[in-house]
Amino acid sequence: KQEVTQIPAALSVPEGENLVLNCSFTDSAIYNLQWFRQDPGKGLTSLLLIQSSQREQTSGRLNASLDKSSGRSTLYIAASQPGDSATYLCAVFQAGTALIFGKGTTLSVSS
Amino acid sequence: DGGITQSPKYLFRKEGQNVTLSCEQNLNHDAMYWYRQDPGQGLRLIYYSQIVNDFQKGDIAEGYSVSREKKESFPLTVTSAQKNPTAFYLCASSIRVGTDQPQHFGDGTRLSIL
């Protein structure tokens, strides 16, 4: 059964730092991996989707990489800002139904 | 603007009561999903629907029921059989249940027990 793990569970950094969030999954037979942002009490906002055939995707200050063979993905956030404070969720899609989620990394960026 | 609307934002349930959470989308998506989120946990799939009049159980379907009579609507009923319903419920949709389609989420409904 697929399991998705996100490390660290929480992270605090000063404004301006570059940072990396990690996601690992146990079964490499995935179709895609998606990174989401969740603000407190809100739904999820899709940040990046990486197909299994891709190595990375970029959007603005965000860059997500995927190494399917090792079961790892990273989300790189450049020049962090207080507005980046949120919980970041990683999810993988396999044949069948819907996404399988990690528990998230809660990021706090101080000014 | 296209999107997913969940209502109500907050809902309270009494013992032995069934309650229904609404989810409407105007994205013309075929697939819709219901997830449950508990504090400090990832999202877990309750039910999903690939097309009108079709739905399948997810990982934690016990105590829940759904219907899909219209493409744009996928209501979730939390029945009295669900003994621990307090959670944050999220509805999502995608163009189809496929390999390259991202899921879009509503703002959620927070259900609590009175």
Side-chain angles (χ1 to χ4, degrees):
Chain A
K1 183 181 175 183
Q2 177 75 270
E3 291 185 6
V4 180
T5 303
Q6 291 187 246
I7 294 173
L11 181 63
S12 294
V13 300
E15 182 177 8
E17 271 204 12
N18 302 325
L19 58 100
V20 174
L21 307 181
N22 296 292
C23 173
S24 62
F25 46 94
T26 54
D27 185 348
S28 62
I30 66 169
Y31 285 118
N32 63 47
L33 183 144
Q34 202 166 352
W35 282 94
F36 294 89
R37 170 186 172 134
Q38 184 176 31
D39 292 292
K42 297 289 189 181
L44 277 61
T45 300
S46 179
L47 298 174
L48 291 165
L49 183 149
I50 311 177
Q51 302 294 348
S52 62
S53 59
Q54 297 175 322
R55 297 286 293 183
E56 64 180 307
Q57 282 284 339
T58 299
S59 176
R61 294 183 294 108
L62 305 179
N63 176 276
S65 68
L66 174 64
D67 184 343
K68 201 174 76 162
S69 61
S70 68
R72 295 174 189 270
S73 175
T74 61
L75 179 66
Y76 175 81
I77 302 177
S80 59
Q81 303 170 357
D84 294 331
S85 299
T87 296
Y88 292 82
L89 293 160
C90 162
V92 299
F93 182 82
Q94 289 187 284
T97 64
L99 296 168
I100 301 169
F101 285 83
K103 295 181 180 181
T105 294
T106 298
L107 172 66
S108 176
V109 181
S110 56
S111 57
Chain B
D1 282 338
I4 300 174
T5 301
Q6 290 188 241
S7 62
K9 188 174 177 67
Y10 300 96
L11 186 59
F12 298 90
R13 195 191 89 168
K14 295 180 181 179
E15 292 287 338
Q17 186 183 43
N18 294 351
V19 292
T20 297
L21 285 61
S22 171
C23 178
E24 304 277 333
Q25 54 99 358
N26 61 4
L27 299 167
N28 200 33
H29 286 173
D30 282 326
M32 297 187 74
Y33 314 80
W34 274 106
Y35 294 90
R36 169 179 171 142
Q37 186 178 33
D38 293 282
Q41 301 295 317
L43 278 67
R44 293 181 290 168
L45 181 67
I46 305 173
Y47 270 98
Y48 72 102
S49 168
Q50 298 191 62
I51 200 167
V52 174
N53 293 323
D54 170 82
F55 48 84
Q56 282 83 41
K57 294 181 179 180
D59 298 324
I60 55 167
E62 185 174 351
Y64 300 97
S65 66
V66 293
S67 63
R68 186 86 187 277
E69 297 176 2
K70 299 185 295 183
K71 185 175 184 177
E72 59 270 23
S73 179
F74 191 40
L76 173 74
T77 296
V78 183
T79 75
S80 57
Q82 173 49 246
K83 298 306 179 186
N84 184 23
T86 298
F88 191 48
Y89 291 86
L90 287 159
C91 178
S93 72
S94 62
I95 292 176
R96 64 180 186 274
V97 178
T99 63
D100 60 350
Q101 304 303 317
Q103 291 188 16
H104 302 268
F105 283 78
D107 280 341
T109 293
R110 189 166 300 280
L111 176 62
S112 302
I113 296 298
L114 284 177

